[in-house]
Amino acid sequence: MIRTGPEITAAAQDGPLRITPFAADQVDPNSYDVRLGPALITCTAAILDAHQPNPHRRVHDRPRRMRPPIWAI
C-alpha cells in the first residue's frame, strides 16, 4: 500500500504502522526516511519470510564501509 506523508504519520501514531523510534522530520511526501543503526546484521536463510523472525547473524557493531557482495536495503 502506498501512503502519503500525512497517512504515514497517522498510521504510525494510531498503530497499524509501527516505526520505532518515529521522527516526524523523517516523513516525506510519500515515504519515511530510514536510518542505519550501529550494527550490521545479515540474514542467513536463502528465503526470507516477512511474517516470522528470520535467522541472522551480527557482523559488525561499529561503522564501516560496505563493499560488494555486502549490501543493505
Side-chain angles (χ1 to χ4, degrees):
M1 168 182 276
I2 297 174
R3 297 179 189 258
T4 65
E7 289 172 335
I8 292 169
T9 300
Q13 292 171 349
D14 297 338
L17 187 63
R18 186 172 51 184
I19 302 173
T20 306
F22 180 81
D25 63 335
Q26 289 178 224
V27 178
D28 285 330
N30 286 22
S31 64
Y32 184 82
D33 294 336
V34 295
R35 306 283 165 82
L36 295 178
L40 175 62
I41 297 173
T42 61
C43 293
T44 57
I47 298 174
L48 304 178
D49 184 348
H51 297 285
Q52 62 182 341
N54 291 286
H56 62 278
R57 68 184 176 96
R58 184 179 294 264
V59 179
H60 295 283
D61 286 316
R62 58 179 167 58
R64 66 172 256 165
R65 176 176 287 172
M66 292 187 295
R67 292 190 171 92
I70 298 173
W71 53 276
I73 295 178

